């Protein structure tokens, strides 16, 4: 029935991979925390959960952690009554963790079973510091088999790497031996860690070190109260009074209770198992909450990506609308284009084919008198550059609008960083692209006109005007046939647009002209849309590159469900 | 001792100027910080030159113990439970008026030092709560007072001297306040001699790395009293100088100015008149305003009129078939809208692009906040630009609206020639009538070199008229072109004026404000 159900380690591995895939690429508030948490989950699975699940009988790893100067290294040395790790007055002293185990357990820690990312070294204490990527492995007789002690770097000094490494090591522990002092026990930073331990159900023992003998009871009571209120009443509390050190070691009687407890733990398989299982179960249980937190952060990434994408979409949709309006509203027929058109039609070149003789005569004379000729190519050229100008301004504004709104959106500023000036305007090659696209459009219109005119009865007349002339009329009709010109402007145009169009209708037929114009307009819109899309892609690509994978959430949720199922069916 | 430092008043004055310039122009948080500092400075300066010194540090470092040691009485009770001190305590050495100061600091636990050391007269010592314990309210109180006091003594100890909590949150950000800070390494009695020296050196190294090389480190022991005389001496120097408050405010001003300086670009290049619009802008604006259309109308109108007056009278009516293109634009009245085509989407696009280029040129080397401001400036302008341009064109004087004398004279000659022709024609008609009436030869017909005079009159009149019209045509054209050129010049001048007033000058003003802002910021931060 559960033939296909994965084992817990397999399900865990899947979950780990899913978490490792999260990129948190958008710099939204809380991004750094989420990324750190994701890394912590991955590390804990690698460092602790998988090795522990695969070998429940492996030696118990007790990590001695806490504030700088609390006396962790001194404590470890004193417990072993040997100099295995360096203690010192300079803060922080310990940077590379030191793992001490019984010679018999050496094999369990020498390989990459636990903490696989830390290289093992075996130098003597007091030698050069091994740095943060290394773990010094010491086998020592003083320690019974089944128990290993790890002297961790501090959790609160200015050395950031120490803090990160300490958190990672604590997450890899079967048991925390949390060292604090009479001066430290109310510090916020270690308490944050203790609260985490409570959430994760980690087995904790607290050592209150360096207590002035006279204040022993008062301080111990105060701390015990704090532990109780934090839900750590089950944690053992060991108090070590501050006395002069003997050769750098604490007096044996001060640490006797702690020592006895640890040795007992090592000797008692059952008790050790209980500790191992408590921490393991707690860590596994807490995973679902931690993954929920990661899912929320991932959701936030998605939302931010969506918002950024929408801002760009809106800006470019508006640009497209501007262009559409200008095209449909006849706005292009003003100014330069209108002047050229008037000249073109006004010279009578068009009228030559017209049968109405008065107009013809008048225009011929007019043309003879002014001697001016505007070719259809000039009309097309002015129309073309107008369209290109329009596209340029639309693309510029859209880029600027997008950049401006991104600056106020979560994650937007970081995406723009270093590219602000490029992204505030259309891309440098946009003008050329726009001109090319408009030229192609005009070619397309001429092609349309040519094929439309080919089969017409009035071919002879048609040819006398030239495809170019007819094309110019269609182009103008694209912008005029929706009635963009107001009455006054039609008067300025001398009714010539309408005349030209009617003329064309006479040749090609009313419906044909309308469909030609409609097709030409649709083509222009499509081209404008394409150009603006390319521009929008500059923004869209930035978001896409930083945005989370679309199915990341589903996959992560499925992996978390998979782990829950695997645990239940065990 | 002559100090090169500018006086605090100058600094604050410069900062005030920067804030005034930035007001409504720069939407950045640093301006808010500057404004807050000015308010704080005003309040603090009014409260006299007593020296407010605060003991700050982690829980258990020995602030209260040190405080008591300096006061010489157990005013703030130290303790073994952490954290002990929850409210700020103040001790006042002599001096009066400290009450108002402490009211402003909102410190209510006050102690007047009995038999104060006259050297410390005017010292107000504060024992702050901790900043690193689980009690968040302690940290908030520390953060509040760290902003207000004149001198900060950071009390560290061998256990906590390298904590991220103090270095990352307080010491490193106070790098600009090195002169206002004092660091003591307390509890040195817990270390033997070499360890104490090593510890102090390590702390020194940390502080140097944070830019606090100028801050002294004093090893002390509040419990044994070691190092306390040195600490007291330093305090005496600061208190008697009566400059701590000013120094603190100056350091604050430097810090705020440094933050504001992030919004400064390079100052404007000298030489070029920033308020002059570039040719590209003027040209684009002229195009948007329809100047080419008007110029072409002027030329066509002049040509049409010339044709009418110099043309062959028999064909003049054709010119009247089309209305005067210039008249149709209804120019000449600045109040009325012209009938120039409304600046459509294309013209508006050209306008926007031109304005944007002008803006980019002005703001090329400015940081984001100022370029945003330039954008806002032109956004306001763009709205009324079209209207202003229209008025500029409408109100342009396009030159005298009359037909040139030579053209009128030619017209008269044309009429005369036409009359001559007419006379010839009438004569011929008369002759024909006479002929019909069989009265040939009743009147002698004079001859001119063998041709009858009426025929010569008719033919010559017509021919000469046609010739004259032909000869006049290029001249009319040249005249029309001249008029067009003149009109273009005048129109362009008017458009350039609009470009200056509506675009170039607002941009230049913003740019000038930037320069003023930066100069002020620089003076404030020197
Ligand atoms: N007198 C006395 N000194 C102690 C005691 N415990 C620690 N020390 C001293 O405190 C200093 C710090 O001790 P370490 O063991 O190096 O502290 P740590 O917790 O390992 O510190 P990091 O490695 O920096 O995280 C050393 O100089 C020790 O000698 C104690 O109980 N009594
Ligand atoms: N050995 C030693 N102990 C000190 C010294 N200064 C303070 N202490 C002790 O450290 C503890 C905390 O002192 P307290 O003044 O309350 O610290 P605060 O929290 O910084 O105000 C007390 O038990 C003091 O007795 C010192 O210079 N040397
Ligand atoms: Mg250590
Ligand atoms: Mg205190």
């Amino acid at each position: 029935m559960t033939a296909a159900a994965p084992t817990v380690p397999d399900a865990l591995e899947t979950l780990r991979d899913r978490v490792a895939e999260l990129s948190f690429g958008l710099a939204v508030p809380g991004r750094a925390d989420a990324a750190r948490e994701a890394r912590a989950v991955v590390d804990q699975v690698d460092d602790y959960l998988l090795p522990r699940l695969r070998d429940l009988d492996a030696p118990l790893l007790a990590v001695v952690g806490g504030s700088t100067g609390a006396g962790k290294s001194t404590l470890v040395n004193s417990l072993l009554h040997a100099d295995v790790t360096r203690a010192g007055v300079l803060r922080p002293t310990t940077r590379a963790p030191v793992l001490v185990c019984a010679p018999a357990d050496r094999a369990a820690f020498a390989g990459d079973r636990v903490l696989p990312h830390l290289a093992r070294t075996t130098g003597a204490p007091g030698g050069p510091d091994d740095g943060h990527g290394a773990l010094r492995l010491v086998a020592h007789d003083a320690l019974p088999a089944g128990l290993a002690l790890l002297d961790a770097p501090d959790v609160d000094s200015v050395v950031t790497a120490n803090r990160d490494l300490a958190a990672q090591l604590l997450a890899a522990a079967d048991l925390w031996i949390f060292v604090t002092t009479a001066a430290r026990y109310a510090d916020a930073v270690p308490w944050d860690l203790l609260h985490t331990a409570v959430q994760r159900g980690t087995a904790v023992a607290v050592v209150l070190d360096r207590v002035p003998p006279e204040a022993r009871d008062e301080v111990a009571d105060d701390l015990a109260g704090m532990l109780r209120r934090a839900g750590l009443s089950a944690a053992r509390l060991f108090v070590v009074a501050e006395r002069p050190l003997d050769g750098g070691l604490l007096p044996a009687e001060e640490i006797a209770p702690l020592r006895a407890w640890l040795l007992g733990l090592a000797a008692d398989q059952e008790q050790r198992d209980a500790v191992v299982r408590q921490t393991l179960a707690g860590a596994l249980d807490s995973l679902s909450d931690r993954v929920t937190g990661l899912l929320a952060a991932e959701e936030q990434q998605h939302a931010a990506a969506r918002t950024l994408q929408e801002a760009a979409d809106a800006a470019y949709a508006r640009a497209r609308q501007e262009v559409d309006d200008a095209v449909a509203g006849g706005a292009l027929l003003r100014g330069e284009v209108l002047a050229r058109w008037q000249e073109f039609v006004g010279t009578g070149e068009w009228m030559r084919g017209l049968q109405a003789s008065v107009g013809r005569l008048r225009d011929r004379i007019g043309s003879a008198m002014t001697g001016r000729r505007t070719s259809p190519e000039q009309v097309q050229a002015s129309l073309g550059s107008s369209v290109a100008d329009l596209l340029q301004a639309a693309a510029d504004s859209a880029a600027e609008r997008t950049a401006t709104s991104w600056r106020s959106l979560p994650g937007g500023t970081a995406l723009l960083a270093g590219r602000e000036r490029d992204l505030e305007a259309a891309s440098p090659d946009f003008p050329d692209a726009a001109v090319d696209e408009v030229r192609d459009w005009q070619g397309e219109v001429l092609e349309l006109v040519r094929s439309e005119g080919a089969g017409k009865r009035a071919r002879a007349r048609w040819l006398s005007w030239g495809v170019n002339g007819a094309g110019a009329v269609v182009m103008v009709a694209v912008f005029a046939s929706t009635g963009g010109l107001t009455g006054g402007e039609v008067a300025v145009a001398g009714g010539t647009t309408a005349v030209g169009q009617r003329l064309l209708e006479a040749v090609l037929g009313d419906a044909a002209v309308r469909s030609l114009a409609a097709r030409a307009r649709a083509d222009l819109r499509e081209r404008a849309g394409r150009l603006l899309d390319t521009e929008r892609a500059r923004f869209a690509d930035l978001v896409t590159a930083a945005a989370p994978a679309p199915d990341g959430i589903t996959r992560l949720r499925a992996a978390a469900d998979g782990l829950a199922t695997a645990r239940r069916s065990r | 001792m002559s100090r090169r430092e500018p006086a605090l008043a100058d600094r604050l004055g410069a900062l005030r100027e920067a804030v005034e310039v930035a007001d409504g122009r720069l939407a950045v948080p640093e301006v808010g910080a500057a404004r807050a500092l000015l308010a704080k400075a005003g309040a603090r300066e009014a409260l006299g030159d007593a020296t407010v010194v605060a003991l700050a540090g982690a829980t258990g470092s020995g602030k209260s113990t040190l405080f008591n040691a300096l006061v010489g009485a157990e005013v703030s009770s130290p303790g073994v439970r952490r954290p002990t001190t929850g409210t700020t305590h103040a001790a006042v050495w002599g001096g009066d008026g400290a009450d108002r100061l402490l009211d402003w600091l909102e410190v209510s636990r006050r102690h007047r030092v009995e038999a104060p050391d006259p050297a410390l007269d005017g010292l107000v010592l504060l024992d702050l709560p901790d900043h690193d314990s689980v009690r968040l309210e302690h940290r908030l109180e520390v953060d509040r007072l760290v902003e207000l006091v004149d001198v900060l003594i950071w009390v560290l100890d061998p256990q906590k001297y390298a904590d991220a909590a103090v270095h990352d949150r307080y010491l490193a950000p106070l790098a600009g306040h090195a002169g206002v800070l004092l660091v003591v390494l307390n509890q040195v009695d817990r270390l033997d001699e070499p360890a104490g020296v090593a510890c102090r050196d390590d702390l020194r190294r940390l502080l140097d790395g944070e830019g606090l090389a100028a801050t002294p480190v004093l090893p002390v022991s509040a419990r044994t009293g070691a190092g306390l005389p040195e600490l007291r001496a330093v305090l005496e120097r600061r208190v008697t100088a009566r400059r701590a408050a000013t120094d603190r405010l100056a350091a604050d001003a430097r810090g705020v100015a440094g933050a504001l300086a992030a919004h400064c670009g390079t100052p404007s290049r000298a030489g070029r008149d920033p308020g002059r619009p570039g040719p590209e802008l003027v040209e684009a604006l002229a195009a948007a305003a329809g100047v080419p259309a008007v110029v072409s109308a002027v030329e066509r109108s002049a040509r049409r009129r010339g044709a009418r007056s110099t043309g062959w009278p028999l064909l003049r009516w054709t010119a009247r078939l089309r209305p005067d293109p210039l008249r149709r634009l209804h120019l000449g009245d600045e109040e009325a809208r012209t009938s120039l085509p409304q600046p459509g989407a294309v013209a508006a696009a050209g306008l926007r692009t031109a304005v944007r280029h002008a803006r980019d040129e002005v703001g090329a080397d400015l940081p984001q906040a100022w370029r945003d401001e330039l954008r806002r400036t032109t956004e306001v302008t763009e709205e009324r630009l079209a209207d202003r341009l229209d008025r500029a064109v409408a109100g342009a004087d396009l030159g005298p609206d009359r037909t040139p004398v030579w053209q009128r004279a030619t017209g008269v000659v044309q009429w005369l020639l036409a009359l001559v022709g007419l006379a010839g024609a009438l004569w011929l008609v008369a002759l024909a009538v006479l002929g019909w009436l069989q009265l040939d030869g009743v009147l002698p017909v004079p001859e001119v070199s063998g041709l009858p005079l009426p025929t010569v009159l008719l033919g010559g009149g017509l021919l000469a008229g046609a010739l004259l019209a032909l000869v006049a045509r290029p001249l009319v054209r040249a005249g029309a072109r001249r008029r067009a050129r003149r009109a273009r010049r005048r129109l362009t001048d008017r458009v350039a004026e609009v470009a200056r007033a509506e675009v170039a000058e607002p941009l230049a003003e913003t740019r000038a404000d930037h320069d003023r802002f930066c100069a002020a910021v620089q003076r404030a931060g020197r």
Side-chain angles (χ1 to χ4, degrees):
Chain A
M1 163 189 79
T2 56
T7 62
V8 175
D10 289 347
L12 198 56
E13 223 163 337
T14 314
L15 179 65
R16 172 219 177 275
D17 291 346
R18 295 297 160 266
V19 173
E21 279 165 14
L22 303 177
S23 62
F24 301 109
L26 291 169
V28 302
R31 188 256 304 247
D33 291 343
R36 201 174 311 117
E37 174 70 353
R39 209 170 331 109
V41 168
V42 170
D43 281 344
Q44 193 180 31
V45 172
D46 285 343
D47 293 342
Y48 169 68
L49 284 170
L50 284 175
R52 188 38 93 194
L53 276 168
R54 291 191 175 127
D55 187 359
L56 282 169
D57 296 327
L60 184 143
L61 179 63
V63 172
V64 181
S67 302
T68 180
K72 303 179 290 295
S73 304
T74 310
L75 186 68
V76 169
N77 284 339
S78 307
L79 284 170
L80 301 170
H81 207 83
D83 230 5
V84 291
T85 169
R86 193 148 52 106
V89 287
L90 299 190
R91 306 269 63 82
T93 302
T94 310
R95 286 165 197 254
V98 180
L99 194 156
V100 198
C101 62
D105 289 338
R106 198 192 160 91
F109 296 103
D112 57 3
R113 189 186 65 89
V114 288
L115 299 167
H117 306 300
L118 294 175
R120 307 297 199 259
T121 61
T122 49
D129 199 87
D130 298 313
H132 291 117
L135 179 146
R136 201 150 57 77
L137 187 59
V138 180
H140 202 280
D141 303 323
L143 219 54
L147 174 71
L149 282 180
L150 193 148
D151 178 25
D154 65 89
V155 298
D156 53 8
S157 78
V158 281
V159 181
T160 318
N162 270 12
R163 285 161 10 217
D164 293 345
L165 186 53
Q168 185 187 349
L169 292 169
L170 285 171
D174 290 307
L175 168 67
W176 286 19
I177 299 179
F178 203 85
V179 184
T180 185
T181 67
R184 291 270 193 197
Y185 72 91
D187 283 9
V189 176
W191 270 104
D192 285 346
L193 283 167
L194 284 173
H195 288 305
T196 311
V198 175
Q199 274 162 25
R200 300 199 192 152
T202 312
V204 180
V206 178
V207 179
L208 178 61
D209 207 349
R210 310 190 65 168
V211 185
E214 68 277 10
R216 189 183 175 118
D217 293 340
E218 186 179 359
V219 174
D221 283 354
D222 198 20
L223 175 57
M226 288 175 85
L227 289 172
R228 205 171 42 246
R229 286 193 293 279
L232 278 169
S233 26
R236 294 286 304 257
L237 174 59
F238 299 94
V239 182
V240 180
E242 178 157 23
R243 302 210 189 278
L245 299 178
D246 175 15
L249 300 182
L250 297 162
E253 68 275 13
E254 281 297 334
I255 55 165
L258 174 61
R259 193 190 172 96
W261 182 70
L262 283 174
L263 291 181
L265 202 57
D268 183 348
Q269 171 78 39
E270 210 169 293
Q271 206 190 336
R272 207 169 63 211
D273 273 1
V275 169
V276 165
R277 282 176 199 288
Q278 176 194 341
T279 304
L280 179 61
L284 283 173
D285 289 345
S286 72
L287 267 185
S288 93
D289 276 351
R290 299 173 80 184
V291 168
T292 307
L294 290 176
L295 281 169
E298 185 76 348
E299 197 65 75
Q300 207 188 348
Q301 291 275 320
H302 275 290
R306 228 172 7 246
T307 317
L308 290 168
Q309 207 64 276
E310 277 165 8
D313 288 351
Y316 281 91
R318 194 169 141 195
R320 209 187 258 238
Q321 193 60 49
E322 275 167 18
V323 175
D324 275 2
D325 287 351
V327 168
L332 285 171
L333 286 188
R334 297 180 180 121
E336 167 83 1
V337 176
L338 192 58
R340 292 271 168 252
W341 172 245
Q342 280 174 303
E343 285 163 8
F344 169 51
V345 180
T347 56
E349 194 167 328
W350 260 96
M351 303 301 168
R352 231 167 278 143
L354 194 65
Q355 246 101 61
S357 51
V358 178
R360 179 176 165 201
L361 179 65
R362 183 187 76 182
D363 280 302
R364 267 212 188 140
I365 296 167
S367 167
M369 293 286 290
T370 60
R372 222 182 218 278
R373 283 230 155 61
T374 296
S375 68
E377 286 80 3
Q378 278 172 298
V379 175
Q380 289 177 21
S382 66
L383 194 58
S385 74
S386 291
V387 176
D389 287 353
L390 193 73
L391 288 170
Q392 177 75 45
D396 276 339
S397 312
E400 188 164 81
R401 269 198 298 270
T402 310
T404 309
S405 63
W406 272 23
R407 246 179 270 136
S408 60
L409 289 176
T413 315
L415 281 189
L416 291 171
R419 315 186 180 89
E420 287 97 344
R421 293 187 189 225
D422 299 337
L423 290 177
E424 260 172 14
S427 49
D429 45 0
F430 183 81
D432 290 343
V435 167
D436 287 351
E437 199 66 62
V438 171
R439 197 182 311 119
D440 290 353
W441 173 68
Q442 292 185 324
E444 188 73 35
V445 171
L446 292 185
E447 200 44 55
L448 273 177
V449 169
R450 195 173 290 129
S451 61
E452 189 68 33
K456 296 294 165 189
R457 151 179 68 81
R459 208 214 216 110
R461 216 187 304 151
W462 174 252
L463 288 177
S464 81
W465 304 335
V467 172
N468 274 334
V473 173
V474 171
M475 288 172 209
V476 170
V478 163
F479 305 111
S481 61
T482 42
L485 290 186
T486 61
E489 285 159 344
V490 173
V492 175
T496 43
T497 311
V499 172
Q501 198 175 329
R502 227 164 290 130
L503 199 63
L504 198 64
E505 284 164 6
V507 179
L508 297 176
D510 181 15
V513 172
R514 221 168 301 133
S515 96
L516 267 182
R519 262 144 74 199
R521 190 182 304 134
D523 187 31
L524 180 58
R525 275 162 97 149
E526 192 184 310
R527 285 169 192 275
R530 221 160 34 224
L531 275 172
L532 290 173
D533 261 353
T534 317
E535 287 293 296
R536 190 179 56 88
R538 294 189 303 158
F539 292 96
D541 290 351
L542 280 180
V543 179
T544 317
D551 58 348
I553 288 189
T554 350
R555 282 155 60 88
L556 180 53
R557 199 169 280 141
D561 290 347
L563 176 63
T565 316
R567 288 191 68 199
R568 242 179 285 120
S569 64
R570 202 163 51 130
Chain B
M1 186 177 82
S2 86
R3 282 186 302 130
R4 295 274 137 145
E5 282 257 312
L8 176 64
D10 294 347
R11 254 187 224 289
L12 294 175
L15 206 56
R16 190 163 296 116
E17 185 184 342
V19 167
E20 274 161 17
V21 175
D23 234 345
R25 280 216 188 271
L26 287 197
V28 293
E30 288 84 351
V31 175
R35 213 174 283 125
L37 171 61
L38 288 171
K40 176 182 113 175
R44 179 63 186 90
E45 280 182 313
L47 291 169
D49 57 1
T51 305
V52 182
V53 179
L55 294 166
T59 178
S61 287
K63 301 177 291 298
S64 303
T65 315
L66 193 58
F67 179 83
N68 291 339
L70 288 169
V71 175
E74 172 128 344
V75 177
S76 175
S77 30
V80 289
R81 285 171 180 251
R82 304 266 64 83
T84 308
T85 314
T87 48
T88 307
H89 290 67
V92 181
W93 272 259
D96 7 62
D99 277 339
R100 275 176 57 229
L101 192 51
L102 287 169
D103 288 344
W104 177 66
L105 292 168
E106 294 172 36
V107 174
S108 51
R109 298 276 190 99
R110 303 168 189 185
H111 170 81
R112 194 164 289 275
V113 177
E114 283 152 35
D117 176 358
L120 285 177
D121 190 63
L123 168 65
V124 176
L125 188 66
L126 303 183
D127 176 29
L128 301 188
D130 66 275
H131 63 78
D132 69 342
S133 78
V134 287
R135 306 293 290 272
L136 183 66
E137 66 272 23
H138 291 188
R139 189 193 311 166
L140 296 178
E141 170 78 348
V142 172
D143 289 352
R144 184 179 73 80
L145 284 167
V146 159
E147 288 299 316
L148 299 180
V149 301
D150 304 328
V151 175
L152 271 166
I153 302 184
W154 286 97
V155 182
L156 308 183
D157 69 85
Q159 236 187 94
K160 289 190 161 186
Y161 75 86
D163 277 15
V166 65
H167 286 276
D168 292 358
R169 196 138 26 86
Y170 297 100
L171 290 174
L174 284 169
H177 288 66
V180 170
L181 305 186
L182 212 63
V183 172
V184 305
L185 181 62
N186 190 31
Q187 308 193 9
V188 281
D189 60 296
R190 287 168 170 269
L191 302 172
D192 56 16
E193 177 71 23
V197 170
C199 221
R200 198 197 53 205
D201 289 350
D202 196 39
L203 176 54
R204 180 76 268 164
R205 180 188 59 80
L206 276 175
L207 294 174
D208 289 355
E210 286 162 341
L212 289 171
T215 303
V217 173
L218 301 174
V220 303
S221 169
R223 182 169 287 177
T224 66
L228 283 187
E230 287 83 355
L231 175 59
R232 202 179 279 271
V234 174
L235 280 180
E236 276 170 15
R237 271 206 302 283
R238 301 236 174 161
V239 170
T240 43
R242 300 249 159 204
R243 238 180 42 214
T246 338
D247 284 353
R248 164 78 208 235
L249 291 174
D252 284 345
R254 263 199 312 272
V256 165
L260 285 173
H263 301 292
C264 278
T266 51
S268 303
R269 286 165 281 136
R272 189 177 161 279
D273 174 11
R276 253 240 311 283
E280 192 216 10
L281 177 65
V282 174
E283 200 175 306
L285 258 50
V291 168
V294 175
V295 168
S296 132
V298 165
E299 187 173 351
R300 273 183 292 146
S301 163
R303 215 188 288 158
R304 176 178 165 280
R305 200 174 310 175
R308 226 171 50 195
S309 44
T310 67
W312 204 35
L314 293 185
L315 277 181
R316 276 188 196 172
W317 60 272
T318 57
R320 213 162 292 156
L321 281 180
R322 268 185 271 160
D324 185 340
L326 193 54
R327 186 119 342 124
R328 231 200 252 135
L329 298 177
H330 302 299
L331 297 175
D333 178 4
E334 206 160 339
E335 291 312 306
R337 268 209 72 91
T338 60
S339 296
L340 275 175
Q342 290 258 346
V346 176
L351 227 140
R352 261 191 295 162
T353 306
V355 171
R356 161 193 287 272
H357 284 169
R359 193 181 85 200
D360 285 352
E361 203 183 313
V362 173
D365 50 357
L366 295 189
Q368 189 67 49
W370 281 100
R371 282 188 299 138
D372 283 348
E373 177 56 17
L374 286 175
R375 196 187 64 236
R376 284 191 286 271
T377 308
T378 52
E379 268 166 9
V380 172
T381 286
E382 263 171 34
E383 281 170 16
R384 53 164 193 255
L385 195 53
D387 193 49
R388 298 302 291 264
L389 284 172
D390 203 51
R391 277 164 204 255
V393 171
D397 172 15
L398 297 177
D401 193 22
R402 52 192 165 70
T403 319
V405 178
W406 72 267
Q407 287 187 6
R408 262 185 281 156
T410 315
V412 170
V413 173
Q414 279 285 19
W415 277 116
L416 285 180
L417 289 175
L419 282 181
V420 168
L422 188 66
L426 288 178
W427 196 337
L428 284 179
V429 170
L431 285 180
V433 171
L434 286 180
W436 181 66
L437 295 175
Q438 302 299 319
L439 290 172
D440 290 341
V442 171
L443 287 173
V445 178
E447 292 193 1
V448 178
S449 39
L451 286 173
L453 184 60
T455 319
V456 171
L457 286 180
L458 175 63
L462 289 182
L463 212 67
L467 270 177
L468 188 58
L470 221 63
V471 170
R473 216 160 92 174
L475 297 177
V476 165
R477 288 238 179 117
R481 273 199 299 276
R482 232 180 0 260
R483 275 206 62 187
R485 266 201 305 278
R486 199 167 51 222
R488 180 189 304 279
R489 216 166 34 240
R490 293 199 172 148
L491 286 167
T492 310
D493 284 352
R494 289 183 66 96
V495 168
E497 173 55 26
V498 172
R500 191 189 59 71
E502 296 293 323
V503 182
E505 248 168 26
L507 287 177
E509 250 167 53
T510 307
R511 175 87 216 202
D513 272 358
H514 161 266
D515 293 349
R516 214 146 61 82
F517 171 80
C518 292
V521 164
Q522 216 201 340
R523 265 182 291 131
R526 215 161 20 198

